[in-house]
Amino acid sequence: MDFLVEGLREAVRLIANGDHQIIDATLRTLSISLSAVVLAVLIGLPIATGLARRRFVGQRLLLVLFRAALGVPTVFLGLLCYGMLARRGPLGPLDLLYTPTAIVIGETLLALPIVVALTHGALATLDPRIPETARTLGAGPIRRLLTYLSEARTGLILAILTAFTRCSTELGIAMMVGGNIKDRTRTLSTATALETGKGEFAVGLAMGGLLLLLATGMTLLVAVLGKEDRRDA
Amino acid sequence: MTIVSTNQLIVRRADIRILAAGDLEIAAGECVGLCGGNGSGKTTLLRVLAGLEPVSPGMVTVNCPAGDITLVHQHPWLFHGGVLSNIEYGLAARRVDRVTRRRIARKWLERLGGSQLAERQVEGLSGGERRRVALARALAIEPTLLLLDEPLAEIDDTGIQLIREVVEGLDNTTILITSPVDFPAGFVERTIQLTTPPTISAAG
């Protein structure tokens, strides 16, 4: 029991003193996962909208593939990215392995199916009167798209939050293509795993605690800021 | 001038006739009531004219641009946000500037007796209030062909009187209104009676 209490006390002290390693890993985790989510949203929203609102050959198959991709393990994505980015891999010349960019690429692949599958779900179940009303009032394609996203906002916010929590807490990709290099690619999840493994329990506890705070805190922040959900609930 | 004409208009869904309107002619500026029981195809006819329901070529001719036709659903959908921003939706789509949009939105809301709703959010409006907002939203774009699906349900007598006055003031607009029951006297210029299509004929 002393071990736990001692570790917790040390962890609190590290966080309170603003230990630069910990601050550094927190900011890096935040910037990497936010970049990945922004990229996944930019790529995923048009795909989700196309899947929900248009009819084309292979549509169902594509949707099933994106849904199946929700289950791809992060270590597999790490493996895939490693294979692509390693010096002898097809993208080796870019020299991206063990950089934050490599983690962003991997986590974008992790977030994309989440954004596509969940946003598609929200858009596909929109009331048919929404597109009809927008059309008969003369809205063009861009205004219609913005209207759909606004009407599907609850599902859209859920998709983005899910993607963010998945990216910020994942370990496999950050470990395999980031490599937990101090001051370069160390994130909260890799630090939690590796510092604990090295016997630095207090550091691991501090990192893990901050990770927990970051992942759950974002959801709470959105709940506080999002006024409309109070009425919808 | 004829604005709407139909030629042997029949609409099927899953091999069942849901509308058999035959040949209709509606002159520009007319205010026409569509009567008929449940399943007689009133809503379907409006949807066909609004371009929301595909029909065989040649069955329907509408002599005005698609952008000048608008439909108000039987249970209108209001977009998330404020009452005024809803009424301004079609104007924004036509790139009318913000100040003009707001002025037009307030004008129509006032004419329909809903001035007190101007600053409200759409959540929490009553059924009748939602209808007025949706009607104001449709009128704001000054449509050439206005299609109203049972607009009088849930509206109180004062509201019906206001809508009648507004509708009578629209000289350049052709209006089609549906109702499952008879219209109040003098509300429409003439009525077209639709009857439920017989379900038997597979050959027809």
Side-chain angles (χ1 to χ4, degrees):
Chain A
M1 201 58 194
D2 276 358
F3 173 64
L4 285 181
V5 174
E6 208 39 55
L8 199 59
R9 192 171 294 159
E10 178 65 11
V12 170
R13 197 188 62 76
L14 281 171
I15 296 171
N17 287 353
D19 180 87
H20 102 271
Q21 262 195 73
I22 291 175
I23 302 288
D24 211 42
T26 308
L27 293 179
R28 189 171 298 114
T29 304
L30 202 58
S31 74
I32 288 175
S33 42
L34 283 178
S35 310
V37 170
V38 168
L39 282 174
V41 166
L42 288 178
I43 303 168
L45 278 191
I47 299 177
T49 314
L51 283 172
R53 307 245 26 110
R54 304 211 179 274
R55 298 282 162 264
F56 54 88
V57 179
Q59 180 182 32
R60 282 185 64 82
L61 179 68
L62 196 60
L63 179 60
V64 169
L65 287 178
F66 270 110
R67 286 181 176 166
L70 289 171
V72 173
T74 57
V75 282
F76 181 82
L77 284 174
L79 198 65
L80 181 74
C81 291
Y82 182 90
M84 298 298 285
L85 299 175
R87 188 154 301 164
R88 286 179 297 160
L91 300 177
L94 297 177
D95 212 14
L96 288 173
L97 195 63
Y98 304 129
T99 62
T101 312
I103 314 180
V104 170
I105 294 171
E107 290 188 355
T108 303
L109 293 179
L110 175 66
L112 189 61
I114 299 173
V115 171
V116 171
L118 294 189
T119 309
H120 169 270
L123 289 173
T125 52
L126 277 183
D127 192 292
R129 286 171 296 174
I130 294 168
E132 290 181 2
T133 304
R135 254 182 73 183
T136 55
L137 288 170
I142 293 173
R143 186 173 298 273
R144 289 207 298 270
L145 173 64
L146 292 176
T147 302
Y148 303 156
L149 293 176
S150 155
E151 295 298 307
R153 65 202 168 280
T154 309
L156 185 65
I157 290 169
L158 186 67
I160 294 172
L161 274 179
T162 309
F164 174 77
T165 48
R166 269 295 262 157
C167 285
S168 60
T169 58
E170 73 81 28
L171 179 62
I173 298 163
M175 189 94 97
M176 294 179 72
V177 297
N180 192 47
I181 303 167
K182 195 180 168 190
D183 297 328
R184 275 191 64 202
T185 60
R186 179 170 292 177
T187 67
L188 287 175
S189 64
T190 58
T192 305
L194 296 173
E195 293 303 308
T196 308
K198 281 191 332 198
E200 297 278 354
F201 181 61
V203 178
L205 204 56
M207 298 278 196
L210 278 174
L211 185 55
L212 180 68
L213 213 63
L214 185 73
T216 52
M218 191 61 88
T219 307
L220 296 176
L221 186 72
V222 170
V224 171
L225 294 179
K227 288 173 288 181
E228 85 283 346
D229 285 333
R230 262 174 254 161
R231 273 187 293 264
D232 291 351
Chain B
M1 189 188 102
T2 307
I3 186 159
V4 172
S5 61
T6 68
N7 178 18
Q8 300 294 310
L9 175 60
I10 289 169
V11 177
R12 286 192 184 79
R13 204 178 280 157
D15 269 347
I16 295 171
R17 285 189 189 192
I18 55 169
L19 168 67
D23 299 349
L24 300 174
E25 283 223 347
I26 293 162
E30 261 194 301
C31 179
V32 176
L34 292 173
C35 285
N38 300 124
S40 58
K42 304 184 295 291
T43 300
T44 307
L45 179 54
L46 293 193
R47 293 176 57 81
V48 167
L49 297 179
L52 299 173
E53 209 74 50
V55 288
S56 310
M59 276 186 170
V60 175
T61 315
V62 181
N63 289 320
C64 78
D68 293 342
I69 307 171
T70 196
L71 166 83
V72 180
H73 288 102
Q74 183 179 355
H75 300 285
W77 183 277
L78 298 184
F79 298 122
H80 173 65
V83 164
L84 288 178
S85 73
N86 261 278
I87 302 175
E88 289 171 27
Y89 189 91
L91 298 169
R94 285 162 179 74
R95 302 183 188 284
V96 176
D97 70 87
R98 193 177 290 269
V99 177
T100 315
R101 271 188 344 233
R102 192 115 302 195
R103 186 171 49 73
I104 296 174
R106 284 187 188 280
K107 178 188 81 179
W108 284 110
L109 193 58
E110 189 188 337
R111 285 217 204 161
L112 292 167
S115 300
Q116 73 285 1
L117 305 175
E119 309 308 324
R120 294 267 297 273
Q121 297 292 302
V122 296
E123 289 88 355
L125 293 184
S126 76
E129 288 169 340
R130 298 178 79 87
R131 279 169 196 281
R132 288 183 202 212
V133 174
L135 186 55
R137 181 173 64 183
L139 289 167
I141 64 170
E142 299 188 3
T144 309
L145 179 58
L146 177 60
L147 308 161
L148 304 174
D149 200 359
E150 300 194 16
L152 303 183
E154 294 176 294
I155 303 260
D156 55 30
D157 289 342
T158 333
I160 291 181
Q161 191 53 42
L162 281 167
I163 292 175
R164 171 189 292 201
E165 284 166 18
V166 168
V167 164
E168 279 172 358
L170 299 171
D171 293 332
N172 299 322
T173 306
T174 311
I175 308 166
L176 263 77
I177 310 182
T178 68
S179 173
V181 295
D182 287 343
F183 287 95
F187 196 92
V188 290
E189 291 166 22
R190 67 175 169 119
T191 56
I192 293 172
Q193 190 74 32
L194 291 175
T195 48
T196 309
T199 48
I200 29 150
S201 126

